[in-house]
Amino acid sequence: MRKSHPIIKALALFTVWFLYLPLLGVAVCSVNTAKGGWVWKGFTLDWYFKLLDNEWILNSAWNTLELAVVSTAIATLLGTILAIGISRFPWGRKTNSFLNTMLNIPVVIPDIIMAGSLVVVFGILREVSSIFDMGMIDMIIGHVTFQIAFVALVVRSRLALIGQDVEEAGRDLFASNWYLMRKVMLPLMMPGIVAGAMLAFTLSLDDFVLSFFLSGPDSQTLPLFIYAAVRRGVTPEIHALSTLVVLITVILVVGAERFSKKEIA
Amino acid sequence: MDTHKDKNLTIKNMVKTFGKVEVLKTVNQEVRAGEFFTLLGPSGCGKTTLLRIIAGLEIPTSGSVILGNDDITSLPANKRHVNMVFQSYALFPHLTIYENIAFGLRSRKINADEIKRRVNEGIEMLRLETLKDRMPDQLSGGQKQRVSLARALVNEPDILLLDEPMSALDAKLRAQVQEELRRLQRKLGTTFIMVTHDQDEALVCSDRIAVMNEGQIVQCGTPEEVYDYPCNKFVAEFLGAANMLKAKRVDGGVETELGFFALDKIPDWNEGLVTIRPEWVKISENKPDHNGVLATVEDSVYRGTNFDLFLSPGNLRVRTSSYKHFRTGDKIWIELTASDLVALGD
């Protein structure tokens, strides 16, 4: 590999430092005995234990988890089916590029636009049934809408890696559609599906904008709680909570990365 | 096991188009039960498409596939008693070699004892005993290919299809596999249909060869027939080196730039090409009685097993034994025997 210029190296290091410094600061504050400010007064895990006493936080954590688990489950199922449909059905070239664009739009579109349009849609649906009142169901549907695209993209690239001839070999060896799916395609797709699900899960876990627009009185999530709490003043508990959320996200993202790179073996 | 031995395969009026491209233009062909049949042609000639149609992996635009007495044109791949060895082998990467071989039997829900017996038979037949618990990515190309063969053959198919089975192997292994395939086919008596672009492969293995070009079968016959009596320029050149001479038909033979040649089979055209293989040009000390030409050696290329001499006039290529030495500039008499000189059609 070519040796890079020292300035480029310095710039890269600075950028990484700049990105992670605030996170590091939060993590340090979460284990600092001091209640505020930037003075180190000693190590403690008290703030973490205090989280467990706060009913609001526990409630929000539970909501967040419920939302993430349910929406991820639905999005993984639908996204996987979508990926199979897009990459295995003999679409024409035009239809194919249209589907590709459609699949990428939810990824790049600003959350706030998505959230705004969902508010409008649920407003209309509310006329039909009170199920669509602001709250958990709306949030789950909202999260699923953007998670599907991520799952489908990851699973589709996995399918491209598997290739068509293994599937054809299965058919040639007398496998029915269902048998082929169960014995060949699912096991080979599984790393992609798991990676997609992990990605979808972290997206739901961290989502603020959609939840903010769609949540009801009983469906506050952790990001929403943190937002509200910060407005009242930052406390070490918030630092502790934020650090936990970041940790979980990092673990899931690293996991997803490893799964999606897993070789076909 | 002997039920498949009387099932001929008939391809009737087969046409396949992809969009506007006509990949197959009305192919009619019969493959006899128990023969080693090869589809030979350059890439893009439609041979693989034809094979995939027989396998049921491609739906023909029109025409029919008849196996024995049954029309199987609309039968999906998983219902056809035909199995395929894929060019990429297409082994299931998440299954052991044993499970790969057992796949076809398991998906047909054959009872466990029978599966065990047949898989072990297949493993023995292709000498895979030591590999059966490995995963496909731990195998070499040649080993993968034997697994792929075993996986298809344990199903005792009516027809075994082979798609460029040797394209991923190195030259030495290729020769070995050619002989093994031939031996296996003779032993089992199963109909083999192989697709290849390699004329050596086709000549070594096959009972009959169908030479394909631009979506059509140009000539079909035994290896000797297509090599010795090519029907046109394409077949003559695709199956190896050939000397071509422009000719005009005259009484009893043809007139060329090298003079008059008598032919055994008088062509039905007035102007066309005659051909002779380099190894059939005879070299003699004295002037031959018929069809002789006095030629000058322009170049001589040593090829180990033989010399290739390039002669003028006519830019003829002549293959001669390596113990005879000729130098550039030597004058020699050659004879283009009437029986070896073939008039080509269109």
Side-chain angles (χ1 to χ4, degrees):
Chain A
M1 218 202 289
R2 213 166 64 97
K3 244 189 136 182
S4 49
H5 197 276
I7 291 185
I8 294 180
K9 243 188 219 169
L11 215 60
L13 280 176
F14 177 75
T15 311
V16 172
W17 180 242
F18 195 75
L19 276 174
Y20 287 98
L21 187 64
L23 290 179
L24 189 69
V26 169
V28 169
C29 288
S30 74
V31 289
N32 190 354
T33 325
K35 260 209 144 194
W38 286 98
V39 188
W40 180 256
K41 286 194 177 157
F43 180 85
T44 175
L45 285 176
D46 276 359
W47 310 122
Y48 286 88
F49 290 119
K50 273 199 180 155
L51 290 178
L52 296 175
D53 297 333
N54 189 329
E55 206 163 307
W56 278 103
I57 290 179
L58 288 181
N59 214 351
S60 307
W62 179 248
N63 281 339
T64 310
L65 201 66
E66 184 187 339
L67 173 59
V69 168
V70 176
S71 66
T72 301
I74 296 171
T76 305
L77 182 69
L78 295 180
T80 303
I81 293 170
L82 183 63
I84 296 174
I86 286 180
S87 53
R88 288 301 191 251
F89 188 82
W91 307 99
R93 184 182 302 214
K94 274 186 192 161
T95 319
N96 219 335
S97 77
F98 172 74
L99 287 172
N100 270 335
T101 316
M102 293 307 283
L103 202 54
N104 278 305
I105 283 177
V107 176
V108 293
I109 204 168
D111 284 358
I112 191 110
I113 307 290
M114 194 99 160
S117 52
L118 281 169
V119 167
V120 174
V121 171
F122 286 129
I124 296 166
L125 287 174
R126 213 166 293 137
E127 301 292 317
V128 182
S129 161
S130 62
I131 290 177
F132 297 105
D133 280 343
M134 294 287 194
M136 197 46 101
I137 289 185
D138 285 14
M139 289 162 83
I140 290 172
I141 295 173
H143 279 204
V144 168
T145 53
F146 73 83
Q147 285 172 314
I148 281 184
F150 285 91
V151 174
L153 283 170
V154 176
V155 174
R156 200 184 53 159
S157 68
R158 181 74 189 175
L159 274 170
L161 201 64
I162 295 169
Q164 201 119 21
D165 47 0
V166 178
E167 200 176 325
E168 287 182 343
R171 276 185 214 293
D172 185 58
L173 293 164
F174 316 108
S176 61
N177 282 337
W178 174 235
Y179 191 82
L180 186 69
M181 185 46 78
R182 215 158 37 100
K183 296 286 179 177
V184 180
M185 296 318 284
L186 268 182
L188 290 177
M189 281 161 66
M190 202 40 88
I193 296 174
V194 173
M198 280 175 152
L199 203 60
F201 193 85
T202 61
L203 287 168
S204 166
L205 204 64
D206 298 353
D207 173 72
F208 173 75
V209 179
L210 260 96
S211 300
F212 185 73
F213 274 74
L214 300 175
S215 68
D218 304 321
S219 58
Q220 177 156 263
T221 60
L222 282 179
L224 295 181
F225 176 84
I226 293 172
Y227 173 72
V230 166
R231 291 174 68 109
R232 285 193 301 269
V234 185
T235 62
E237 284 107 319
I238 298 299
H239 287 315
L241 188 57
S242 307
T243 308
L244 281 180
V245 173
V246 169
L247 269 180
I248 292 169
T249 309
V250 168
I251 290 168
L252 285 173
V253 168
V254 170
E257 188 86 340
R258 288 187 63 164
F259 260 105
S260 65
K261 292 226 176 98
K262 199 170 166 191
E263 274 183 36
I264 297 202
Chain B
M1 182 158 179
D2 287 348
T3 49
H4 58 73
K5 287 199 170 152
D6 51 355
K7 284 190 178 172
N8 292 353
L9 176 80
T10 311
I11 307 290
K12 259 196 197 147
N13 300 322
M14 187 59 63
V15 176
K16 176 71 185 175
T17 53
F18 288 112
K20 284 181 186 156
V21 188
E22 253 192 324
V23 184
L24 292 176
K25 302 168 189 165
T26 323
V27 172
N28 283 290
Q29 183 65 48
E30 180 157 282
V31 179
R32 296 173 203 136
E35 76 174 331
F36 197 131
F37 189 85
T38 299
L39 294 165
L40 173 69
S43 61
C45 73
K47 56 192 191 304
T48 298
T49 306
L50 185 55
L51 195 77
R52 287 170 58 83
I53 286 173
I54 299 170
L57 296 170
E58 211 81 68
I59 301 163
T61 309
S62 67
S64 43
V65 183
I66 295 154
L67 182 59
N69 298 315
D70 309 320
D71 187 329
I72 59 166
T73 317
S74 53
L75 213 58
N78 58 4
K79 303 242 165 72
R80 292 188 188 192
H81 214 79
V82 162
N83 292 107
M84 177 130 149
V85 172
F86 288 78
Q87 184 171 9
S88 62
Y89 314 133
L91 300 182
F92 303 116
H94 60 301
L95 299 178
T96 62
I97 299 313
Y98 184 95
E99 283 304 316
N100 260 283
I101 297 172
F103 191 92
L105 301 170
R106 287 207 201 287
S107 54
R108 276 189 300 163
K109 313 244 179 322
I110 284 171
N111 76 60
D113 292 341
E114 175 84 357
I115 292 179
K116 206 169 170 187
R117 185 181 66 75
R118 277 161 74 169
V119 173
N120 283 326
E121 233 175 63
I123 284 176
E124 197 183 328
M125 182 165 65
L126 285 141
R127 308 182 312 280
L128 297 162
E129 289 89 349
T130 54
L131 304 175
K132 65 179 186 198
D133 296 320
R134 297 219 198 143
M135 300 306 279
D137 64 343
Q138 297 170 301
L139 266 52
S140 70
Q143 291 169 333
K144 278 186 195 164
Q145 202 216 27
R146 297 212 310 270
V147 175
S148 179
L149 265 170
R151 183 176 73 170
L153 286 172
V154 290
N155 301 297
E156 293 168 5
D158 291 333
I159 302 175
L160 181 77
L161 306 172
L162 302 122
D163 187 8
E164 303 260 2
M166 288 162 241
S167 61
L169 305 176
D170 59 56
K172 204 174 165 189
L173 199 55
R174 209 176 283 186
Q176 214 174 305
V177 174
Q178 285 171 9
E179 280 155 28
E180 172 150 17
L181 274 182
R182 204 184 131 93
R183 189 178 51 77
L184 209 58
Q185 194 273 335
R186 301 283 189 278
K187 192 175 128 196
L188 295 171
T190 307
T191 313
F192 278 30
I193 302 179
M194 178 171 79
V195 154
T196 182
H197 62 266
D198 184 316
Q199 79 276 6
D200 282 336
E201 222 164 277
L203 291 172
V204 169
C205 295
S206 322
D207 291 316
R208 282 198 303 157
I209 298 172
V211 185
M212 285 186 77
N213 189 30
E214 292 177 346
Q216 279 172 318
I217 293 179
V218 188
Q219 187 177 5
C220 177
T222 63
E224 291 89 341
E225 277 164 7
V226 289
Y227 187 80
D228 296 357
Y229 304 104
C231 70
N232 67 10
K233 186 165 182 262
F234 173 81
V235 177
E237 287 182 334
F238 198 78
L239 274 131
N243 292 302
M244 300 280 173
L245 292 171
K246 274 191 192 147
K248 274 186 192 151
R249 187 177 64 175
V250 292
D251 206 20
V254 288
E255 189 67 39
T256 73
E257 56 171 318
L258 304 181
F260 170 82
F261 292 106
L263 289 187
D264 273 6
K265 224 178 127 203
I266 306 298
D268 51 11
W269 38 254
N270 286 321
E271 279 187 42
L273 290 169
V274 290
T275 185
I276 184 164
R277 296 285 176 200
E279 60 273 23
W280 291 331
V281 177
K282 289 185 187 127
I283 297 171
S284 54
E285 316 261 312
N286 309 310
K287 183 175 184 214
D289 294 340
H290 304 286
N291 290 5
V293 177
L294 182 64
T296 311
V297 178
E298 293 292 335
D299 195 8
S300 112
V301 179
Y302 182 62
R303 302 176 67 105
T305 52
N306 62 279
F307 271 104
D308 271 9
L309 305 179
F310 293 88
L311 310 177
S312 69
N315 197 23
L316 291 176
R317 179 202 283 253
V318 176
R319 205 153 276 177
T320 173
S321 317
S322 49
Y323 60 80
K324 279 186 197 159
H325 287 270
F326 293 98
R327 259 184 234 114
T328 307
D330 284 356
K331 297 243 183 227
I332 52 173
W333 278 101
I334 53 170
E335 184 186 353
L336 312 181
T337 319
S339 58
D340 295 333
L341 205 52
V342 178
L344 297 175
D346 292 325

